[in-house]
Short mmCIF file of all heavy atoms in Angstrom, two decimals:
data_model
loop_
_atom_site.label_atom_id
_atom_site.label_comp_id
_atom_site.label_asym_id
_atom_site.label_seq_id
_atom_site.Cartn_x
_atom_site.Cartn_y
_atom_site.Cartn_z
N ASN A 273 97.46 120.31 93.40
CA ASN A 273 97.31 118.87 93.72
C ASN A 273 96.44 118.65 94.99
O ASN A 273 95.54 117.85 94.99
CB ASN A 273 98.66 118.25 93.88
CG ASN A 273 98.60 116.83 94.34
OD1 ASN A 273 98.50 115.88 93.57
ND2 ASN A 273 98.68 116.58 95.67
N ASP A 274 96.77 119.42 96.02
CA ASP A 274 96.08 119.20 97.29
C ASP A 274 94.64 119.63 97.25
O ASP A 274 93.76 118.97 97.79
CB ASP A 274 96.82 119.99 98.41
CG ASP A 274 98.27 119.49 98.56
OD1 ASP A 274 98.71 118.67 97.73
OD2 ASP A 274 98.94 120.00 99.47
N TYR A 275 94.38 120.74 96.52
CA TYR A 275 92.98 121.16 96.25
C TYR A 275 92.20 120.04 95.50
O TYR A 275 91.04 119.69 95.85
CB TYR A 275 92.92 122.46 95.46
CG TYR A 275 91.83 122.55 94.47
CD1 TYR A 275 90.49 122.83 94.89
CD2 TYR A 275 92.08 122.32 93.11
CE1 TYR A 275 89.46 122.88 93.97
CE2 TYR A 275 91.04 122.39 92.20
CZ TYR A 275 89.72 122.64 92.60
OH TYR A 275 88.71 122.74 91.70
N ALA A 276 92.86 119.44 94.50
CA ALA A 276 92.24 118.43 93.70
C ALA A 276 91.91 117.16 94.52
O ALA A 276 90.85 116.55 94.33
CB ALA A 276 93.08 118.07 92.50
N VAL A 277 92.78 116.78 95.44
CA VAL A 277 92.48 115.63 96.30
C VAL A 277 91.29 115.92 97.16
O VAL A 277 90.37 115.06 97.32
CB VAL A 277 93.76 115.28 97.19
CG1 VAL A 277 93.38 114.22 98.20
CG2 VAL A 277 94.89 114.79 96.32
N ALA A 278 91.25 117.10 97.75
CA ALA A 278 90.11 117.52 98.60
C ALA A 278 88.83 117.52 97.82
O ALA A 278 87.74 117.01 98.27
CB ALA A 278 90.36 118.84 99.28
N ALA A 279 88.85 118.10 96.61
CA ALA A 279 87.66 118.19 95.78
C ALA A 279 87.20 116.82 95.32
O ALA A 279 85.96 116.57 95.28
CB ALA A 279 87.94 119.06 94.54
N THR A 280 88.09 115.91 95.04
CA THR A 280 87.75 114.56 94.64
C THR A 280 87.05 113.81 95.78
O THR A 280 86.05 113.16 95.60
CB THR A 280 88.97 113.80 94.12
OG1 THR A 280 89.53 114.49 93.00
CG2 THR A 280 88.65 112.39 93.70
N ALA A 281 87.69 113.90 96.95
CA ALA A 281 87.12 113.21 98.11
C ALA A 281 85.73 113.72 98.43
O ALA A 281 84.77 112.96 98.71
CB ALA A 281 88.04 113.35 99.33
N TYR A 282 85.60 115.05 98.39
CA TYR A 282 84.26 115.64 98.67
C TYR A 282 83.22 115.21 97.67
O TYR A 282 82.10 114.83 98.00
CB TYR A 282 84.40 117.17 98.59
CG TYR A 282 83.07 117.91 98.61
CD1 TYR A 282 82.40 118.16 99.81
CD2 TYR A 282 82.47 118.28 97.42
CE1 TYR A 282 81.14 118.82 99.79
CE2 TYR A 282 81.23 118.95 97.44
CZ TYR A 282 80.59 119.20 98.63
OH TYR A 282 79.35 119.80 98.60
N ALA A 283 83.59 115.18 96.38
CA ALA A 283 82.63 114.83 95.35
C ALA A 283 82.16 113.40 95.48
O ALA A 283 80.97 113.10 95.34
CB ALA A 283 83.27 115.03 93.96
N ILE A 284 83.06 112.45 95.80
CA ILE A 284 82.69 111.07 95.96
C ILE A 284 81.74 110.91 97.18
O ILE A 284 80.75 110.15 97.11
CB ILE A 284 83.92 110.18 96.11
CG1 ILE A 284 84.75 110.20 94.80
CG2 ILE A 284 83.54 108.74 96.50
CD1 ILE A 284 86.11 109.49 94.91
N ALA A 285 82.03 111.63 98.27
CA ALA A 285 81.21 111.56 99.43
C ALA A 285 79.81 112.07 99.12
O ALA A 285 78.77 111.53 99.57
CB ALA A 285 81.81 112.38 100.57
N GLN A 286 79.70 113.09 98.28
CA GLN A 286 78.40 113.67 97.95
C GLN A 286 77.52 112.73 97.14
O GLN A 286 76.29 112.75 97.24
CB GLN A 286 78.58 115.02 97.17
CG GLN A 286 79.17 116.11 97.98
CD GLN A 286 78.28 116.44 99.18
OE1 GLN A 286 77.12 116.81 99.04
NE2 GLN A 286 78.82 116.29 100.36
N VAL A 287 78.14 111.91 96.29
CA VAL A 287 77.36 111.02 95.42
C VAL A 287 77.19 109.64 96.03
O VAL A 287 76.61 108.76 95.38
CB VAL A 287 77.98 110.90 93.99
CG1 VAL A 287 78.04 112.28 93.36
CG2 VAL A 287 79.38 110.30 94.06
N SER A 288 77.69 109.39 97.28
CA SER A 288 77.55 108.09 97.90
C SER A 288 77.06 108.23 99.35
O SER A 288 77.57 107.54 100.25
CB SER A 288 78.87 107.32 97.83
OG SER A 288 79.88 108.05 98.55
#
Side-chain angles (χ1 to χ4, degrees):
N273 173 87
D274 300 4
Y275 145 76
V277 172
T280 299
Y282 169 83
I284 294 171
Q286 290 302 299
V287 300
S288 61

